[in-house]
Amino acid sequence: MGLTVGWSAYLAEAFRSAYLAVDQGQLEAALAVGITPRRAFFRIIVPQAALIALSNIENLFIGLVKGTSLVYVLGLYDMYNDASNLSNQTNGIYQLQIFIILALIYWAFVLLIEWGFRTIAHRYQKVLG
């Protein structure tokens, strides 16, 4: 619940700033040619704002993945805690190797997220023209 409230505020700000970045002339032009305000909002403003917000959403999602050690407090799965426990079980002998592997896992997750968002953005830009 805490993560949902906290991260939803950041996400709302990403969408708000993207909405404000879309030129209001787009809405005025749509209204001038007879499109209803609701249809203009959902067909013209929202697609452009979503494309602008995509990079902010990507950064927020990556930040959430990196912040999984905060999730441990809530009792959910945490890779950092598992790495610490493994390091303690081996009396710290393999501590450097364990945390290098952990860093590589996080890096792989972030690269996967970035690839996914780039693919979405690329396809979305094709649709918008």
Side-chain angles (χ1 to χ4, degrees), residues 31-102:
L31 296 176
V33 296
I35 298 176
T36 64
R38 180 183 173 113
R39 182 174 217 125
F41 178 76
F42 285 107
R43 294 283 180 129
I44 296 171
I45 304 296
V46 170
Q48 293 179 49
L51 186 60
I52 294 169
L54 204 57
S55 62
N56 289 336
I57 296 168
E58 175 186 358
N59 289 334
L60 288 171
F61 195 70
I62 289 171
L64 185 61
V65 168
K66 291 179 181 177
T68 57
S69 60
L70 297 175
V71 178
Y72 173 68
V73 175
L74 302 175
L76 299 175
Y77 180 74
D78 174 40
M79 290 189 299
Y80 182 80
N81 184 50
D82 288 346
S84 296
N85 288 342
L86 184 60
S87 176
N88 291 337
Q89 290 172 0
T90 59
N91 296 322
I93 295 173
Y94 301 109
Q95 187 171 9
L96 181 62
Q97 291 91 339
I98 291 170
F99 285 103
I100 287 174
I101 291 171
L102 178 64

